[in-house]
């Protein structure tokens, strides 16, 4: 199948495959922990329930989003993808430079197993072990929502120029999940040897690059050489990121630490709140944390940049790459600015 793909199709397939593989590794780790320490049947019931819900979301959201006007779709999805990608990229840069702990699937597996072994066994309906069911269900659902987001956005945004884009994105996701699942259950251990942090860095670079391209296009920008501009945008984002990693490594060698930012943010509702507030607040918090993450200023800069690009007109293609490089540099330098003598952190 891959030999018949164009350059854009191949970039779409690789981006979706890598992003979904990362999420699948994390989901498989949780399911293995639930099945190994509790009950495999209940764990599989949770997996199947989550997959049915996720598949329904793809079926419903994919065609619905694809019906939006092409410019509106590119602006909205490109902006969301850019904010989402920057969140991945910022975390990946902090991990690569030593300011954030590397993602350790083996540790996550052992922590989940330890918690599962202490939980009480309760049965509901046809589920013999509710804890194993819910652990697998929530793990697959939460990681799967990112897969759905990536599949729907990548597939829908290119559907106008490439009718097979949506099915291609789905196949990329299916292949990624299948490969990781088979590997995980074949060795019956968490996939700690998978270079997950490197994959997250690559995916963050690709999501950010595509977000810049599509968001600016939706704002009315005309890229030089159209789609070929991605061949310049991706290396630009990559070089900026590598440069920041090297600079942050120098800071780390001087014992600089992560600086906890004192910026207002949307927080999860208190457990003592009323049920409606917990439900509504929890729903809003999930999507806020899912898309925007720990620094709302990044999203604000992206929105302001897209509005400015629309105002400046078709030839303002330089604006979004410049703004993205600037906000990435500013937030990462600020996050790593706690000097060894700083006792306020």
């Amino acid at each position: 199948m891959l030999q018949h793909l164009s350059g854009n199709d191949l970039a779409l397939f690789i981006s979706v495959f890598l992003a979904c593989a990362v999420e699948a590794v994390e989901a498989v780790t949780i399911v293995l922990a639930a099945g190994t320490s509790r009950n495999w049947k209940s764990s599989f019931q949770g997996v199947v329930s989550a997959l049915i819900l996720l598949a329904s979301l793809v079926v419903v959201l994919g065609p619905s989003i694809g019906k939006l006007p092409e410019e509106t779709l590119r602006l909205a999805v490109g902006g969301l993808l850019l904010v989402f990608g920057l969140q991945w990229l910022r975390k990946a840069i902090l991990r690569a430079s030593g300011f954030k702990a590397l993602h350790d699937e083996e540790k996550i597996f052992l922590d989940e197993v330890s918690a599962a072994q202490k939980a009480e066994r309760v049965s509901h309906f046809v589920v013999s072990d509710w804890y194993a069911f819910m652990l697998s269900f929530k793990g697959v659902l939460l990681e799967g929502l990112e897969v759905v987001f990536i599949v729907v956005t990548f597939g829908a945004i290119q559907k106008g120029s490439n009718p097979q884009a949506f099915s291609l994105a789905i196949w990329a996701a299916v292949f990624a999940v299948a490969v990781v699942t088979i590997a995980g259950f074949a060795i019956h251990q968490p996939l700690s040897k998978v270079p997950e942090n490197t994959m997250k860095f690559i995916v963050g670079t690709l999501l950010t690059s595509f977000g810049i391209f599509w968001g600016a296009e939706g704002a009315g920008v005309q890229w030089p050489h159209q789609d070929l501009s991605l061949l310049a945008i991706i290396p630009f984002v990559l070089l900026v990121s590598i440069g920041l990693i090297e600079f942050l490594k120098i800071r780390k060698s001087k014992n600089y630490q992560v600086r906890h930012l004192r910026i207002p943010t949307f927080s999860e509702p208190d457990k003592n709140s009323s049920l409606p507030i917990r439900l509504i607040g929890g729903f809003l918090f999930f999507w806020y944390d899912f898309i925007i993450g720990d620094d709302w200023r990044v999203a604000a800069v992206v929105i302001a940049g897209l509005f400015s690009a629309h105002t400046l007109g078709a030839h303002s293609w330089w604006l979004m790459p410049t703004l993205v490089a600037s906000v990435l540099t500013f937030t990462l330098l600020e996050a790593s600015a706690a000097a060894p003598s700083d006792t306020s952190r």
Side-chain angles (χ1 to χ4, degrees), residues 2 4-14 158 210 230-231:
L2 293 180
H4 301 298
L5 300 181
S6 66
N8 282 342
D9 289 341
L10 194 58
L12 165 68
F13 188 91
I14 292 172
Q158 294 203 59
F210 280 110
L230 277 168
L231 297 178

Side-chain angles (χ1 to χ4, degrees), residues 38 42 120-131 133:
R38 302 285 298 194
S42 299
E120 184 180 354
R121 186 178 296 271
V122 178
S123 61
H124 289 293
F125 308 109
V126 296
V127 178
S128 59
D129 189 338
W130 192 248
Y131 185 92
F133 174 88

Side-chain angles (χ1 to χ4, degrees), residues 226-284:
Q226 298 180 335
D227 289 357
L228 290 176
S229 296
L230 277 168
L231 297 178
I233 296 172
I234 294 174
F236 172 77
V237 174
L238 185 60
L239 287 174
V240 169
S241 301
I242 292 174
L244 284 168
I245 289 172
E246 294 305 315
F247 185 82
L248 264 59
K249 281 183 177 179
I250 295 173
R251 278 193 165 182
K252 188 64 179 177
S253 68
K254 296 179 180 179
N255 291 324
Y256 278 71
Q257 303 295 324
V258 172
R259 180 180 177 185
H260 299 290
L261 304 179
R262 295 184 178 90
I263 56 174
T265 186
F266 183 73
S267 58
E268 196 169 8
D270 188 89
K271 293 182 179 180
N272 296 322
S273 303
S274 63
L275 180 61
I277 292 177
R278 291 204 308 273
L279 291 175
I280 296 172
F283 178 81
L284 294 176

Side-chain angles (χ1 to χ4, degrees), residues 15 23 27 36 84 87 91 120 136-137 169 174-175 212 250 261 273 277 284 286 304 309:
S15 300
E23 301 305 330
T36 301
F84 188 67
Q87 184 182 172
K91 290 178 181 177
E120 184 180 354
S136 297
F137 177 80
V174 170
F175 284 158
I212 290 172
I250 295 173
L261 304 179
S273 303
I277 292 177
L284 294 176
F286 171 79

